[in-house]
Amino acid sequence: MPERNFAEFETGNLTLSVINGERMGIGHHLSLNAVALHVEDVEQTRATLEERGVAFTGETLDTGVCHMAFFADPDGNALMLHHRYAPRTTEA
């Protein structure tokens, strides 16, 4: 809804709302907590984005269950490429 300065994206049981805070009268505030973007291959996606001028913060991380690579959008909001390669387990 461009005239209302927001968009919503449904992802199963999660709704992401992207707003233009300036136009909605609440101002723009950077998000320093990264939004994780699922990709099948973090290194390949990172290489493609770097070829297009995207600067990443540090090396790609391997946590033992997932790969993560951090960067920011042109406005400075934190984003992350993410791929989980091991099954999720919970402690009993």
Side-chain angles (χ1 to χ4, degrees), residues 1-91:
M1 302 184 109
E3 71 280 1
R4 296 189 60 199
N5 303 302
F6 76 91
E8 288 185 346
F9 302 89
E10 297 293 333
T11 62
N13 65 351
L14 174 70
T15 301
L16 297 174
S17 181
V18 180
I19 66 168
N20 183 329
E22 292 291 333
R23 290 193 175 179
M24 292 183 86
I26 60 174
H28 176 76
H29 305 280
L30 290 180
S31 173
L32 301 178
N33 294 314
V35 173
L37 305 171
H38 170 77
V39 297
E40 287 302 318
D41 187 323
V42 170
E43 285 303 321
Q44 180 182 1
T45 305
R46 178 180 178 146
T48 299
L49 291 175
E50 286 177 325
E51 288 173 5
R52 296 177 184 175
V54 174
F56 282 78
T57 305
E59 299 298 319
T60 298
L61 300 177
D62 183 343
T63 69
V65 297
C66 66
H67 293 127
M68 301 183 294
F70 295 89
F71 65 106
D73 71 11
D75 292 323
N77 296 293
L79 298 168
M80 171 203 330
L81 299 179
H82 181 269
H83 179 78
R84 175 178 286 278
Y85 59 83
R88 181 180 306 276
T89 60
T90 57
E91 294 182 27

